[in-house]
Amino acid sequence: MAIICKGCGTVNGDGEAKCHSCGAALSSPQGTNELLLQSQTLLDQGQTDDALAVLDQVLQTDPRSQDAWLLKASVLQGSDRWEESLGFIDRALEHHGESAELWFLKGNALDALNATPPSSRGSKSWNQIEEAIRCFRRCLDLNAGFAVAWFSTGQSEEKLGRTHDAMESYEKFLSLNPGEELEPQKEHARERLSTRKKEAAPPAPESKPAPESKPASESKPAPESKPAPERKPAPEHKEEKPQTWLDRLAHAGPEDFLAFFDMTLQRNPEDPRAWVSKGYGLEGVGRDDEALTHYEKAIELDPGSSDTWTRKGTLLAKMTKFSDALKAFDKAIELDPGAELAFYRKGVLQQRIDRFQDALQTLRQFIQLKPPDSECHELADAKKRVEALEKKTAR
């Protein structure tokens, strides 16, 4: 664990007795508050892994420290380690189930893992977004003034096509007068609400001037009326409301999603996640070459995203560009040594191209990254592969 010199603020390695910069004696902090301050200092200096190690030490000695749970969850999410943060927050909630902040962070992770509207009702993505909404609602039960939770609820509701509910959530968000730090969210909420108002207002009927009334003296007596012929009732006509994008996406096909991603990119072409989302959509309709260029653009905008490198490697393996795929997986692992999916897919690919010893080593590394009691398809598959590879390499 890194130790910060109290005299000059230099970060020193674990076990050093003196500061390598000023020579002052070093002592490892013992108190929870002092450790939390140390972790914050490390974060300010960009030493994320060291900060996480300090927070782990706090939680080992003081698992009731809500500040440590919250800070570590926030750091994991700030590093886009959403899956890891989700498992961590579940552990945190065992100690602090009444923390509005932790429930918000759990909803935030579930929503971030499903950045685009789900393709079908009842899918894994759909269920996770519904769970995100429940987490935000739980947060708001505990603290109704948690403004950003109202905004996040609206965003998740929109992904499921629940436009009316989303608009109510946005209105509640704005009614709390959120601060300047939430200006982008306020702008988005106002824009969505103005769109709803335009769609809700039907066009005014074209009015015709009333005929001029004539004086009674000029009016002619009405002729004897004949019974009017029986008229069939006009077919009932229901005016169809224009569909918003989210209404359309509730029952969308792949091309609808691609059009939605195009619209998203037009609004923010510098968002790497939007490029990844469209690339994934292009893969879904078999346009792999185009998908690859979208992943490459996302990497150009954010070269430090392990997830995007993993996505690129997966596509390259699918395109039988095995050498390039392995390089992409290696880059993902270099950026994030805990990138579980990159290890798994790299091991599967190594087995596929008959690099059995390498595959065995990689898949073992993947298994070591998973908690012993975790359950997932990849872990079960990796264990079967390792068992088969151990037999093959033992011959």
Side-chain angles (χ1 to χ4, degrees):
M1 182 190 74
I3 301 174
I4 298 177
C5 175
K6 295 180 182 178
C8 67
T10 300
V11 179
N12 295 270
D14 188 16
E16 294 187 40
K18 293 184 178 181
C19 174
H20 61 71
S21 179
C22 68
L26 299 172
S27 60
S28 179
Q30 298 299 319
T32 294
N33 290 337
E34 194 171 2
L35 284 167
L36 287 170
L37 287 172
Q38 181 180 3
S39 66
Q40 188 60 62
T41 302
L42 288 165
L43 288 171
D44 294 342
Q45 296 176 353
Q47 305 289 327
T48 304
D49 290 338
D50 289 335
L52 290 172
V54 172
L55 291 170
D56 284 338
Q57 182 180 348
V58 175
L59 293 170
Q60 286 173 5
T61 58
D62 184 10
R64 297 294 302 172
S65 173
Q66 184 171 338
D67 289 338
W69 289 107
L70 282 170
L71 184 54
K72 182 172 178 181
S74 300
V75 172
L76 291 171
Q77 294 196 1
S79 305
D80 290 335
R81 293 159 67 173
W82 300 107
E83 286 277 11
E84 188 176 350
S85 78
L86 195 55
F88 177 78
I89 292 167
D90 282 336
R91 288 170 48 209
L93 286 168
E94 294 175 6
H95 297 278
H96 301 285
E98 300 302 305
S99 167
E101 292 85 355
L102 283 171
W103 282 107
F104 170 77
L105 289 173
K106 181 173 182 180
N108 197 44
L110 288 162
D111 185 81
L113 286 167
N114 300 279
T116 58
S119 57
S120 61
R121 185 184 297 271
S123 63
K124 178 183 177 182
S125 178
W126 182 286
N127 292 336
Q128 285 193 327
I129 295 173
E130 282 199 323
E131 187 180 355
I133 294 171
R134 288 193 292 271
C135 290
F136 294 137
R137 292 294 183 188
R138 177 62 179 144
C139 164
L140 291 165
D141 287 341
L142 294 164
N143 181 2
F146 204 117
V148 73
W150 285 107
F151 175 81
S152 298
T153 301
Q155 284 206 306
S156 294
E157 287 167 335
E158 284 208 88
K159 287 179 183 175
L160 300 185
R162 299 172 185 170
T163 311
H164 177 75
D165 293 340
M167 297 305 157
E168 289 188 346
S169 296
Y170 288 145
E171 285 177 336
K172 184 64 178 179
F173 165 67
L174 292 173
S175 74
L176 293 171
N177 298 316
E180 292 182 1
E181 72 280 1
L182 295 176
E183 196 59 44
Q185 288 87 343
K186 289 193 287 184
E187 184 180 343
H188 178 86
R190 291 190 191 106
E191 181 183 340
R192 293 296 298 126
L193 287 168
S194 68
T195 302
R196 179 189 68 168
K197 288 173 184 175
K198 288 177 185 176
E199 290 176 355
E206 198 173 315
S207 58
K208 295 181 181 179
E212 288 186 23
S213 59
K214 294 183 180 181
S217 59
E218 295 182 21
S219 61
K220 297 179 181 179
E224 192 176 336
S225 59
K226 296 180 180 179
E230 187 178 345
R231 296 177 61 185
K232 294 181 180 179
E236 190 176 335
H237 175 68
K238 291 183 179 178
E239 185 179 348
E240 292 185 6
K241 292 182 179 179
Q243 282 192 319
T244 65
W245 269 108
L246 285 156
D247 294 331
R248 187 175 169 187
L249 288 174
H251 306 285
E255 293 300 333
D256 290 306
F257 278 91
L258 290 177
F260 175 77
F261 297 142
D262 282 335
M263 182 179 68
T264 305
L265 285 169
Q266 285 173 6
R267 294 179 61 185
N268 188 4
E270 300 302 310
D271 182 359
R273 292 173 300 179
W275 287 95
V276 173
S277 295
K278 187 180 176 188
Y280 194 70
L282 288 164
E283 276 194 70
V285 294
R287 292 157 64 178
D288 292 346
D289 289 331
E290 291 177 70
L292 184 58
T293 62
H294 280 66
Y295 296 146
E296 287 170 346
K297 178 64 178 178
I299 288 169
E300 179 186 326
L301 292 168
D302 181 14
S305 171
S306 172
D307 289 341
T308 309
W309 281 102
T310 301
R311 185 70 253 163
K312 180 182 176 181
T314 303
L315 177 56
L316 287 167
K318 176 182 168 186
M319 298 168 73
T320 67
K321 298 180 179 181
F322 300 135
S323 177
D324 290 338
L326 289 172
K327 289 176 184 176
F329 290 137
D330 285 339
K331 183 64 178 177
I333 292 166
E334 177 189 332
L335 291 167
D336 177 12
E340 299 172 0
L341 198 57
F343 274 105
Y344 171 72
R345 291 182 175 168
K346 178 184 175 183
V348 171
L349 177 55
Q350 287 171 325
Q351 184 179 10
R352 179 180 175 185
I353 58 177
D354 297 339
R355 289 172 52 176
F356 301 125
Q357 198 65 50
D358 292 337
L360 183 58
Q361 180 182 351
T362 303
L363 290 170
R364 281 173 174 166
Q365 288 175 294
F366 164 71
I367 292 169
Q368 288 173 357
L369 290 171
K370 302 293 290 183
D373 58 346
S374 62
E375 295 181 9
C376 69
H377 163 75
E378 290 86 359
L379 182 59
D381 180 66
K383 288 178 177 178
K384 290 179 182 177
R385 289 176 183 272
V386 165
E387 185 179 348
L389 285 165
E390 283 174 339
K391 292 177 181 178
K392 181 177 284 288
T393 55
R395 293 171 187 166

